Amino acid sequence: MSEHTQLPEVTLSPRRLRLAAAIAAVVFGAIVVIGVTTRIVQARSLHQWTDEQAIPTVVISEPESANGSSPLELPAQMDAFTNAPIFARTSGYLKSWDKDIGAPVKAGDVLGTIDTPDLDQQLLQAQADLATSKANAALAATTAKRWQVLRQTDPDSVSQQSVDQFNGDLAAKVAQVNASQANLDRLKALKSYARLVAPFDGRVTARNTDVGALITADSTGTSIPLFTVSDTSKLRVYVRVPQVYAPAIHRGDEATLDVPEYPGKSFTAKVEADARSITPTSGTTLVQLLVDNPDGKLLPSSYASVKFKIGSGALGLRLPAEALIFDDKGLHVATLDATDHVHFKTVTIRRDYGKTIEVGSGLVGNDRVIINPPDGLADGDEVRIAKNPQAGKPHDKA
């Protein structure tokens, strides 16, 4: 075949042209429909996603009843059952001390002795004054008796006025004897205070003097005591109980006492008395307990922790502290109704455990409380609940 040979021309009929145009139109229409449908579906999905994101997801927790599982634990201070500061009742210099701190003592044991040179001289003077008064009284008695006999034997020799005068002088002299005797007894009593003695069985818990120290009699008890004697066989425990728990604590109730120096060891204390009044500044009542201390392990004036067993009727509901909302409306929490809509409830705190709090009023046991409610949450808003059922559970026990 030569290079100048030409291919035959293909000519499409009008029917085939119309068919090709129809197919092209159908394909284009399908592409347009698919594109529009895809955009509509994407728009609906975006709108649905936006609506879902507009509903906040929250973590809820149901309040837990205390049911006595967490006893009321309060700080306390212990004191000696009987505590006596020993002050000087007479002045002088400390001659000696016989008992040091920590020494056990019996009632009447000598703690120390005061040298009283001034008082000794006053005693000598008082004894001399008493002897003079007695001599004067004896002379007055003799004189009065003589004048009385003269009046009886010879009424004209002496007057009744003279007899009465000498009888009166005798009465004055007798009164002077009584005054001198009383003054001597007073000085002897002061002299007896030169021996500082223990007023009861106990232990010396303080000694604030030494040999040669100047001792000044203190009648007001405002100075530092020379010695302090304490009965530590039992200790008084003082604890301030909040007002809401006061009705649940009664005389004779037992409590557990813990001290930091004996970790893991507890002591039993018994409620002995309470003040039966509320202190306005703290809203608490003072309760006194007694704890036996025969071996002296517990120290007076130390701090302790007391746990009371409170009945479930006196306990409230517990929930995480993150549920609380503080604003200008007061203290409240956000709860959910059956349709997962928000409702705010005003509550009162009975006790703060730190991570958890005990609510006194405002909630019931089946309330669903939102933990860490988001900002802007309003009453009636719809929310979604997080799928983690353990989130926000008040498992922390104080």
Side-chain angles (χ1 to χ4, degrees):
M1 181 179 291
S2 74
E3 57 181 352
H4 298 288
T5 302
Q6 296 180 350
L7 294 174
E9 294 181 0
V10 179
T11 303
L12 297 176
S13 65
R15 182 179 179 182
R16 289 184 177 181
L17 290 174
R18 287 194 298 270
L19 179 60
I23 292 174
V26 171
V27 172
F28 179 77
I31 293 174
V32 171
V33 170
I34 293 173
V36 172
T37 303
T38 301
R39 290 180 64 86
I40 292 175
V41 171
Q42 289 178 347
R44 287 180 178 176
S45 298
L46 179 61
H47 187 270
Q48 182 179 359
W49 180 86
T50 303
D51 290 342
E52 289 178 353
Q53 294 303 313
I55 300 176
T57 301
V58 298
V59 177
I60 65 170
S61 172
E62 293 186 359
E64 293 185 353
S65 176
N67 291 329
S69 59
S70 179
L72 176 62
E73 185 172 359
L74 297 170
Q77 183 174 4
M78 295 183 293
D79 202 357
F81 183 76
T82 307
N83 188 70
I86 309 299
F87 294 92
R89 291 289 287 117
T90 185
S91 299
Y93 295 91
L94 191 69
K95 182 178 180 180
S96 64
W97 55 264
D98 302 90
K99 301 293 183 181
D100 205 352
I101 56 173
V105 294
K106 295 291 185 180
D109 284 355
V110 177
L111 306 177
T113 304
I114 301 174
D115 189 13
T116 58
D118 292 343
L119 181 59
D120 294 342
Q121 294 302 315
Q122 294 178 30
L123 276 170
L124 293 176
Q125 181 180 352
Q127 292 171 351
D129 291 342
L130 177 60
T132 301
S133 298
K134 287 182 176 180
N136 292 334
L139 178 60
T142 301
T143 304
K145 184 176 180 181
R146 288 174 179 174
W147 283 80
Q148 184 67 31
V149 171
L150 287 174
R151 177 63 182 173
Q152 292 175 353
T153 56
D154 188 3
D156 296 331
S157 62
V158 294
S159 64
Q160 184 62 42
Q161 176 66 29
S162 299
V163 174
D164 295 339
Q165 181 177 353
F166 285 110
N167 286 335
D169 182 63
L170 173 60
K173 294 298 191 299
V174 171
Q176 185 62 44
V177 171
N178 294 334
S180 298
Q181 184 65 56
N183 184 53
L184 180 61
D185 294 340
R186 179 184 66 85
L187 294 175
K188 286 182 178 180
L190 287 178
K191 180 62 178 179
S192 67
Y193 290 121
R195 297 171 67 253
L196 304 171
V197 299
F200 48 77
D201 295 354
R203 190 177 298 273
V204 178
T205 56
R207 178 181 62 83
N208 302 308
T209 187
D210 211 336
V211 175
L214 176 63
I215 306 299
T216 303
D218 184 9
S219 60
T220 60
T222 57
S223 63
I224 298 176
L226 303 179
F227 295 88
T228 300
V229 177
S230 303
D231 179 6
T232 59
S233 59
K234 291 183 178 181
L235 294 184
R236 302 181 192 270
V237 183
Y238 295 98
V239 57
R240 292 199 169 274
V241 177
Q243 178 179 347
V244 292
Y245 297 110
I249 296 178
H250 309 88
R251 183 174 183 178
D253 289 349
E254 289 189 350
T256 302
L257 185 139
D258 298 318
V259 290
E261 57 265 36
Y262 297 111
K265 181 176 178 58
S266 297
F267 302 85
T268 300
K270 184 175 292 186
V271 177
E272 191 71 13
D274 66 271
R276 307 302 300 171
S277 66
I278 301 298
T279 303
T281 55
S282 62
T284 59
T285 183
L286 183 63
V287 175
Q288 175 184 288
L289 302 91
L290 284 183
V291 57
D292 290 329
N293 189 36
D295 50 7
K297 286 186 175 181
L298 299 176
L299 305 179
S301 300
S302 60
Y303 291 94
S305 177
V306 175
K307 295 179 181 178
F308 293 96
K309 296 178 181 179
I310 304 296
S312 59
L315 298 173
L317 299 173
R318 295 184 61 173
L319 70 157
E322 293 89 346
L324 294 177
I325 302 173
F326 296 91
D327 57 20
D328 55 351
K329 297 179 182 179
L331 179 64
H332 47 273
V333 297
T335 63
L336 296 182
D337 60 14
T339 60
D340 295 341
H341 285 77
V342 176
H343 295 284
F344 291 94
K345 290 187 176 183
T346 302
V347 297
T348 59
I349 295 179
R350 174 168 289 185
R351 191 176 178 206
D352 189 347
Y353 294 95
K355 292 184 178 180
T356 61
I357 55 101
E358 185 176 323
V359 177
S361 63
L363 290 179
V364 294
N366 59 356
D367 276 336
R368 295 184 298 168
V369 181
I370 298 177
I371 308 302
N372 283 323
D375 295 337
L377 199 64
D379 199 85
D381 286 353
E382 183 182 1
V383 298
R384 282 195 313 228
I385 301 175
K387 294 182 180 180
N388 182 8
Q390 298 299 323
K393 189 173 182 180
H395 57 276
D396 176 71
K397 299 297 181 183

